[in-house]
Amino acid sequence: MSFQLPLLEQSLDQIQARQDEFAAQFYATLFAKHPEIKPYFAKVDMAKQQQMLISALILIVRSLEKPQLLSGTIKSLAERHRRYGAMTEQFPYIGEALFSTFAEFLGADWTTEMQQSWRSAYDVISEKMINGLQQVAV
Ligand code: HEM
């Protein structure tokens, strides 16, 4: 399965006007399903948290647009996530909260192709981050 960059870009454009609301919904979904993740973000205020989600989404799309940036960016992102205490098994939880928030915000525009693109893009980035986490963990 592969992703279509224009669809990822389109989805970001579609949520642009409602970024804060989107981020609030994402964290609400994530924490409702996985309350054990909430303490990880305890020191971060909501405004910063919302900005982080949007940066993460933009980072995913930008790094897939410019694959030469991918390994360096992901390596340092993984190093920071080791410090945050992120664990391999938590990656799918973040992905599911992201996809369900997109589904809610985009409605009929959250097409099968767009879903597949996001799933596949998220898989690529998570796999690299998980590899990076494991490498720096030793
Ligand atoms: C592919 C998946 C993920 C991506 C692309 C991603 C991306 C990001 C980005 C861009 C930031 C902003 C700060 C920085 O750049 O270091 C961030 C912060 C954070 N991420 Fe992730 N993340 C992912 C998965 C996770 C997972 C699975 C956890 C598990 C708990 C997590 C926990 C955190 C925390 C706690 C912060 C905020 C740290 C702080 O400022 O105190 N992330 N993430």
Side-chain angles (χ1 to χ4, degrees), residues 37 40-41 44 48 52 55-56 59-60 77 80-81 84 86-87 90-91 94 122 125-126 129:
I37 292 190
Y40 286 79
F41 292 90
V44 190
K48 197 177 162 215
M52 274 177 340
S55 326
L59 181 85
I60 290 178
L77 191 60
R80 290 197 296 280
H81 278 73
Y84 304 152
M87 290 183 283
Q90 293 166 334
F91 281 79
I94 304 268
Y122 187 80
I125 304 291
S126 328
M129 268 180 74

Side-chain angles (χ1 to χ4, degrees), residues 116-133:
Q116 281 174 351
S117 280
W118 266 108
R119 283 185 183 275
S120 143
Y122 187 80
D123 280 355
V124 169
I125 304 291
S126 328
E127 200 187 301
K128 289 185 190 297
M129 268 180 74
I130 290 167
N131 281 340
L133 275 181

Side-chain angles (χ1 to χ4, degrees), residues 60-75:
I60 290 178
V61 176
R62 292 282 167 277
S63 52
L64 294 169
E65 279 165 349
K66 296 197 169 60
Q68 70 274 22
L69 297 180
L70 197 59
S71 65
T73 307
I74 301 298
K75 189 167 175 272

